[in-house]
Amino acid sequence: MGKPVILAVDDDISVLEAVVQDLRRQYGAGYRILRAGSGQAALDTCAQLVERGDSVALFLSDQRMPGMTGVELLEKAQLVFPEAKRALLTAYADTEAAIRAINSAKIHYYLTKPWDPPEERLYPVLDDLLGSWREGYKPPFEGLRVIGPRWSLKDHQVRDFLSRNQIPYEWLDPERSDEAQQLLVKYKLDEHKLPAVLFADGTSLVQPLQTELASKIGLHVTAERDFYDVVIVGAGLAGLAAAVYATSEGLRALLIEPEAPGGQAGSSSRIENYLGFPTGVSGAELAKRAFIQASRFGTEFLAQTATGIRSANQYHFVTLADGKEVSCRAALLAVGVNYRRLEIPGLDRFTGAGIYYGAAMTEAISCRDEEVFIVGGANSAGQAAMYFSKYARKVTMLVRGESLEKSMSKYLIDQIAGTSNIVVETRSHVVEACGEERLAAIRVSTADGESTRPASALFIFIGAAPNTGWLPEGVMRDPNGFILCGRDLMIEGRMPKSWKEDRQPYLLETSIPGVFAAGDVRHGSIKRAASAVGEGSISVQFMHQYLARF
């Protein structure tokens, strides 16, 4: 797809050359200037442009041409490029015919010859025509496309993965888009086997696995080496901070993350209390900057899932989802937390089909002019509510507690109170999700009783469940699954029998010597972006102390 086209048409070669030169001098930077010596040649050029997917912004045609007049050409050109502007070049003797053509052929303007000086007699007219054309022009999308129904978990997962990795894409719902139907035919895709991801090189993936999609968009899914000084599991803010400090201090670091940089914070639409960003910063932007910073220092990023970790002979081995292992001297567990599940009837059935965990930025535009419900009263829920308020007709926050004061930062509470289309309902919770193929309604319990409300989208931001189910028993955790570190490992004032070292564990060291934990996954951590960055940063100092023993 090139620049939009301005097509000049005249059978007089000298006149055509003069027109083209004037057009190129004024519009060559933003448009491709093409020429044709007859009406039929112009139509042939139009056919080629259609085949290539190009757009025509303006036809500028002479009236007196043998075989096909300018008016006849512009009438036919309108059928090919109906949005293009059409201007006629005439002699004084043809003025009356040109005026009639404005009505009969829907020509936008006519110009009389000669048009010198063009700065006074040509460019002002064409500037107006091209300006009007640009107002309604939508450039054809040339990047990655996702075709999938809105009420599909797999479609949501693909779009969420691309969004969180900041990969630009265009989403087309086959139930609403004629273009989606045309692309399904063009790529010979089965409408019942979606989502499909279409790439600019003409290839496609149908219902892709996450690693398959990651590899296609350029993420590494295979480690470059077998051994590293440090392996960091989890690319949330804690993991990213550890990667920056580890590699900047000369350690070979591998950062493993199956989803996208930023973790839970990466899905926050705006963080306004993070030091150094007085106007706020989105979690995605903060994560992107940290990822670029870590990459510049030499961190290797791996789009994989860690499924286990074992230790032998003072080395640690991290097992990946593909069955391979990478080894290291020190490891950092920064896997963060997930939103807790809402245990209500209908939840599993409509997850991805109207019920979502987080995902505010991915689904917000889909909820334009709708009423959405948000479950939760902490900062993540408040940030989502503010973001949704830009698109949704109404945002209703369902909060179990009596107020937001105990769970949400004051700046967010004030913003929510000042946003007219956000309603906060305290002492309320969802008891059931209802619908057929997708969410259609929710039953809500309040202090006044239960009621059923129409609902097309429910977003859940409740609590924090640590992502530690894959860890071996040797990594000690509290009853809720959060990792114990440092002094928290002590039982009745003594270290557990499994601790064989002749020293006390470092502040962020787990029950396995040389394996550390940082961020939200650690027992007793403060669930804030700045705290995660701080813990990830200082964890590297403890790693240095551990590695110095060898």
Side-chain angles (χ1 to χ4, degrees):
M1 177 67 192
K3 300 176 184 177
V5 170
I6 296 177
L7 180 58
V9 188
D10 200 309
D11 66 311
D12 188 323
I13 301 301
S14 61
V15 173
L16 182 60
E17 183 64 27
V19 172
V20 168
Q21 287 184 3
D22 285 341
L23 292 175
R24 283 180 176 164
R25 185 167 63 249
Q26 182 73 4
Y27 305 109
Y31 298 86
R32 189 151 53 104
I33 313 301
L34 299 182
R35 69 183 78 193
S38 67
Q40 187 56 52
L43 293 177
D44 292 342
T45 298
C46 287
Q48 295 172 7
L49 294 173
V50 169
E51 187 174 344
R52 291 201 298 261
D54 289 325
S55 298
V56 174
L58 172 69
F59 290 98
L60 182 60
S61 175
D62 182 52
Q63 165 61 4
R64 290 193 177 186
M65 294 187 296
M68 185 184 302
T69 67
V71 170
E72 292 170 339
L73 165 63
L74 295 178
E75 285 180 324
K76 295 180 179 180
Q78 180 187 2
L79 301 176
V80 184
F81 290 102
E83 303 301 323
K85 298 302 178 181
R86 297 172 293 280
L88 195 66
L89 278 175
T90 69
Y92 284 112
D94 298 322
T95 300
E96 185 176 343
I99 293 174
R100 289 198 303 269
I102 290 177
N103 295 320
S104 62
K106 297 181 180 179
I107 292 172
H108 297 100
Y109 210 89
Y110 75 90
L111 295 156
T112 56
K113 302 177 184 178
W115 58 88
D116 291 328
E119 289 78 10
E120 295 180 10
R121 303 185 61 183
L122 179 66
Y123 298 153
V125 172
L126 299 190
D127 285 347
D128 287 343
L129 291 176
L130 292 172
S132 176
W133 176 81
R134 283 195 301 270
E135 289 179 2
Y137 174 61
K138 182 181 178 182
F141 188 78
E142 296 183 287
L144 186 151
R145 290 184 172 92
V146 177
I147 301 179
R150 176 183 175 185
W151 312 111
S152 162
L153 176 59
K154 291 182 179 180
D155 175 74
H156 165 71
Q157 290 171 336
V158 166
R159 290 188 288 115
D160 190 51
F161 180 77
L162 293 172
S163 296
R164 297 188 63 191
N165 279 283
Q166 302 191 45
I167 304 298
Y169 68 91
E170 182 183 44
W171 173 54
L172 301 172
D173 187 341
E175 297 177 0
R176 302 180 180 182
S177 169
D178 292 336
E179 183 181 0
Q181 293 294 336
Q182 294 169 5
L183 288 170
L184 290 175
V185 173
K186 178 180 178 180
Y187 282 80
K188 299 179 180 180
L189 299 173
D190 186 344
E191 186 173 355
H192 301 290
K193 295 181 179 179
L194 296 176
V197 184
L198 313 182
F199 299 90
D201 62 2
T203 61
S204 63
L205 291 175
V206 177
Q207 297 182 348
L209 298 175
Q210 190 162 292
T211 53
E212 186 180 22
L213 182 57
S215 178
K216 183 66 177 180
I217 63 176
L219 301 181
H220 291 168
V221 295
T222 303
E224 294 180 0
R225 51 170 62 97
D226 296 325
F227 174 79
Y228 297 83
D229 296 319
V230 178
V231 170
I232 302 166
V233 185
L237 297 185
L240 288 167
V244 168
Y245 278 88
T247 49
S248 67
E249 295 171 12
L251 297 177
R252 291 177 299 177
L254 175 68
L255 183 57
I256 300 173
E257 170 59 52
E259 298 290 341
Q264 196 175 78
S267 63
S268 296
S269 57
R270 183 147 299 269
I271 303 171
E272 297 192 52
N273 59 351
Y274 190 78
L275 186 66
F277 292 89
T279 60
V281 60
S282 72
E285 178 62 22
L286 187 61
K288 179 180 178 181
R289 294 186 181 201
F291 176 77
I292 293 173
Q293 193 174 16
S295 299
R296 286 183 58 196
F297 283 124
T299 300
E300 181 185 338
F301 181 84
L302 186 63
Q304 275 277 6
T305 300
T307 58
I309 183 170
R310 64 183 180 87
S311 301
N313 301 321
Q314 298 180 329
Y315 289 91
H316 307 291
F317 301 84
V318 178
T319 307
L320 304 175
D322 60 5
K324 297 180 181 178
E325 284 188 331
V326 289
S327 60
C328 57
R329 281 288 191 185
L332 176 68
L333 305 177
V335 290
V337 296
N338 297 321
Y339 292 112
R340 293 191 183 277
R341 293 182 62 79
L342 189 63
E343 301 297 339
I344 60 171
L347 177 99
D348 292 336
R349 184 179 178 189
F350 300 121
T351 297
I355 295 180
Y356 309 93
Y357 287 89
M361 298 182 71
T362 303
E363 298 294 335
I365 297 178
S366 301
C367 297
R368 189 182 297 276
D369 299 327
E370 297 178 358
E371 179 177 0
V372 302
F373 292 84
I374 293 176
V375 177
N379 278 6
S380 55
Q383 291 162 351
M386 290 301 302
Y387 190 72
F388 272 116
S389 68
K390 301 175 184 178
Y391 303 94
R393 174 175 51 83
K394 180 181 179 182
V395 179
T396 301
M397 298 185 67
L398 303 175
V399 183
R400 275 186 176 271
E402 296 185 358
S403 70
L404 296 174
E405 275 71 15
K406 292 183 179 180
S407 57
M408 188 178 294
S409 298
K410 188 177 185 303
Y411 81 90
L412 268 175
I413 296 175
D414 293 342
Q415 288 181 356
I416 289 171
T419 305
S420 61
N421 63 334
I422 298 179
V423 176
V424 179
E425 297 186 13
T426 57
R427 293 188 292 173
S428 62
H429 61 279
V430 181
V431 296
E432 185 180 4
C434 310
E436 295 297 330
E437 295 182 356
R438 63 178 179 87
L439 180 70
I442 56 174
R443 286 183 56 78
V444 179
S445 175
T446 67
D448 299 323
E450 291 189 1
S451 61
T452 300
R453 308 184 193 183
S456 59
L458 176 69
F459 296 85
I460 301 169
F461 297 84
I462 56 170
N467 191 11
T468 56
W470 60 280
L471 295 174
E473 293 183 0
V475 178
M476 292 179 61
R477 284 153 279 180
D478 68 14
N480 293 317
F482 291 91
I483 299 174
L484 297 170
C485 298
R487 292 183 178 181
D488 291 328
L489 293 169
M490 287 186 165
I491 302 173
E492 296 181 352
R494 296 182 180 182
M495 290 299 297
K497 294 181 179 180
S498 59
W499 183 262
K500 304 299 183 182
E501 298 290 299
D502 58 355
R503 61 176 176 83
Q504 294 293 308
Y506 299 117
L507 180 64
L508 300 179
E509 194 170 18
T510 71
S511 52
I512 298 179
V515 177
F516 300 82
D520 291 355
V521 75
R522 185 182 65 81
H523 167 79
S525 66
I526 299 173
K527 307 300 187 285
R528 288 290 185 268
S531 300
V533 171
E535 289 192 13
S537 303
I538 65 172
S539 70
V540 177
Q541 178 61 34
F542 299 128
M543 292 180 198
H544 278 301
Q545 294 179 32
Y546 174 79
L547 294 172
R549 297 166 59 88
F550 301 100

